[in-house]
Amino acid sequence: MIEIPSALEGKTFLLNVLEQELKPLGYVIGGNWDYDHGSFDYKMADDVGYQFLRLPFVAIDGQLDSYGATVELKRPYVLCHKYQRGLDDNVHIGNINASFNQFSEPEDPDATVPDQYVAMAKTLVKDLEERLLR
């Protein structure tokens, strides 16, 4: 994980306004959200694992699942998840659990981020600053 300092840090937005701005650009709300925090993720590539730019946020007024929630942006960062190739041979689950956990465990959930993706993430953050802070 590599943090990208940004003028977006500490800025507040209505969550639905952020969604309207970011989803057309390819950002999605990451699966790691909870009622008080979450992130927008942008998948940069999937050649040496998955490289993501993550824009984390916390709820400061309301809960994330309610209309009108206000969020504060935190420091963006870029991360790489490197996945195993083939089957996960350390799985000991039954049929019901297997229907929910179909994918192999990460080989390295915090793999080294190649320099080209750090540079790309910095450019993406600058683009976000221009779009959101205009």
Side-chain angles (χ1 to χ4, degrees):
M1 176 182 89
I2 297 174
E3 293 183 335
I4 311 287
S6 171
L8 294 169
E9 294 175 58
K11 301 295 188 230
T12 59
F13 298 89
L14 289 171
L15 180 58
N16 63 320
V17 170
L18 277 179
E19 286 183 280
Q20 290 170 2
E21 289 284 334
L22 299 181
K23 284 187 175 184
L25 301 175
Y27 288 83
V28 298
I29 291 186
N32 61 337
W33 74 276
D34 204 340
Y35 293 101
D36 64 348
H37 68 276
S39 65
F40 284 96
D41 290 346
Y42 182 85
K43 185 177 175 183
M44 295 185 291
D46 61 3
D47 55 349
V48 185
Y50 294 106
Q51 290 77 31
F52 289 95
L53 171 62
R54 180 161 284 170
L55 182 59
F57 55 82
V58 294
I60 59 169
D61 184 24
Q63 292 186 334
L64 297 183
D65 65 340
S66 63
Y67 184 79
T70 301
V71 298
E72 178 183 324
L73 297 179
K74 298 299 181 185
R75 181 170 286 187
Y77 57 94
V78 59
L79 69 152
C80 178
H81 287 290
K82 186 176 178 185
Y83 285 89
Q84 297 180 33
R85 298 204 185 274
L87 299 175
D88 187 352
D89 56 0
N90 292 319
V91 176
H92 303 288
I93 57 176
N95 290 335
I96 293 173
N97 201 6
S99 66
F100 295 104
N101 298 312
Q102 301 172 18
F103 304 102
S104 63
E105 289 294 315
E107 178 180 308
D108 187 353
D110 196 17
T112 302
V113 179
D115 291 340
Q116 70 192 58
Y117 298 114
V118 175
M120 181 186 288
K122 288 178 180 179
T123 300
L124 289 166
V125 168
K126 288 291 179 204
D127 292 344
L128 286 175
E129 289 171 347
E130 289 174 12
R131 178 177 275 271
L132 297 174
L133 300 177
R134 57 179 182 234

